[in-house]
Amino acid sequence: MANDGGHAFPFTEKRKGEGSKVERLGHPGMSLRDYMAAAALPACITCNMELAKRGMTQSHEEVAKAAYSYADAMLAARERSDA
């Protein structure tokens, strides 16, 4: 995987260290790819539930892969629109 879209919800936290020294702690947050996959997951689960009614269920791994496939497609579309 080449592009995960960067970080979603990054933040920097400042804490005072010894004396007046300020220590900066960063947390990158989750990747945008993970965020997009999480956003797509409910629809993927719903689709799988509909398939299950017809006896054609997918495994949890297949549903998760589908969510990441949607995320990858969204990232690709995002790159094309930035050009």
Side-chain angles (χ1 to χ4, degrees), residues 8-80:
F9 315 117
F11 71 89
T12 300
E13 182 179 295
K14 295 179 183 179
R15 292 187 183 166
K16 287 191 176 185
E18 293 181 26
S20 60
K21 185 178 180 182
V22 175
E23 181 181 1
R24 293 178 183 247
L25 303 173
H27 187 279
M30 66 191 307
S31 74
L32 184 56
R33 182 175 185 256
D34 288 335
Y35 178 78
M36 289 177 168
L41 187 57
C44 294
I45 291 170
T46 300
C47 182
N48 193 45
M49 291 171 66
E50 290 300 316
L51 287 173
K53 290 178 185 176
R54 298 181 183 113
M56 300 181 290
T57 190
Q58 295 177 313
S59 71
H60 290 106
E61 184 176 324
E62 290 170 319
V63 173
K65 284 181 181 180
Y68 274 102
S69 179
Y70 279 107
D72 291 339
M74 286 186 274
L75 287 169
R78 184 175 187 245
E79 283 185 21
R80 285 192 300 273

